[in-house]
Amino acid sequence: QHAMLVDGSWPARHLLCMCKNISPDDNERVVRLVQKLLDRMHASSLNEKDLSSCNSSLSCIQERFGGEMMLSPMLQLLDAGEADQRVRMLAAAKLLKLHFSSNLH
């Protein structure tokens, strides 16, 4: 399952369905899904369709669970990769309106 998500072979509708139906009591699964989506978004092979799918899925998770669990993995990915990968992550952080100020101390 992880490889299918990271390499982009999961259809977008499946990802969105997973995000909409994940149990609020399964925090560990939510955190794993967020990490996998962020890893996919950071991948150098990401295309525009996959980027849109990742953004939609992360937005869905944020609406349901908040964005706190995205901050730490997002910061790690912002510090890695090529410029285009970092710009993609910054754009996602802006789209999701993530606030890093309290995490930068």
Side-chain angles (χ1 to χ4, degrees), residues 33-52:
L33 183 57
V34 164
Q35 183 66 56
K36 291 173 188 177
L37 286 165
L38 291 173
D39 287 346
R40 178 65 194 136
M41 185 176 281
H42 191 262
S44 59
S45 62
L46 186 75
N47 63 43
E48 287 300 315
K49 184 178 177 186
D50 292 339
L51 177 59
S52 177

Side-chain angles (χ1 to χ4, degrees), residues 3 14 30 39 42 44 70 82-83 91 93-94 100:
H14 290 201
V30 174
D39 287 346
H42 191 262
S44 59
M70 296 180 196
E82 301 297 322
K94 181 182 177 189
F100 296 104

Side-chain angles (χ1 to χ4, degrees), residues 2-104:
H2 175 72
M4 291 179 75
L5 180 57
V6 172
D7 73 11
S9 59
W10 276 68
R13 67 183 183 278
H14 290 201
L15 281 177
L16 210 47
C17 182
M18 285 171 49
C19 294
K20 288 179 179 178
N21 294 305
I22 196 166
S23 170
D25 298 327
D26 197 351
N27 191 56
E28 185 178 321
R29 189 168 177 214
V30 174
V31 170
R32 279 194 324 259
L33 183 57
V34 164
Q35 183 66 56
K36 291 173 188 177
L37 286 165
L38 291 173
D39 287 346
R40 178 65 194 136
M41 185 176 281
H42 191 262
S44 59
S45 62
L46 186 75
N47 63 43
E48 287 300 315
K49 184 178 177 186
D50 292 339
L51 177 59
S52 177
S53 173
C54 286
N55 281 328
S56 296
S57 298
L58 287 169
S59 292
C60 177
I61 289 171
Q62 183 185 37
E63 287 174 20
R64 295 190 63 216
F65 304 101
E68 287 297 313
M69 84 274 297
M70 296 180 196
L71 294 175
S72 180
M74 180 71 81
L75 281 172
Q76 291 174 352
L77 293 171
L78 280 169
D79 198 31
E82 301 297 322
D84 61 326
Q85 292 168 290
R86 293 174 187 210
V87 167
R88 231 184 356 255
M89 301 313 291
L90 281 172
K94 181 182 177 189
L95 177 76
L96 295 166
K97 297 179 180 154
L98 298 179
H99 300 283
F100 296 104
S101 58
S102 62
N103 290 34
L104 296 177

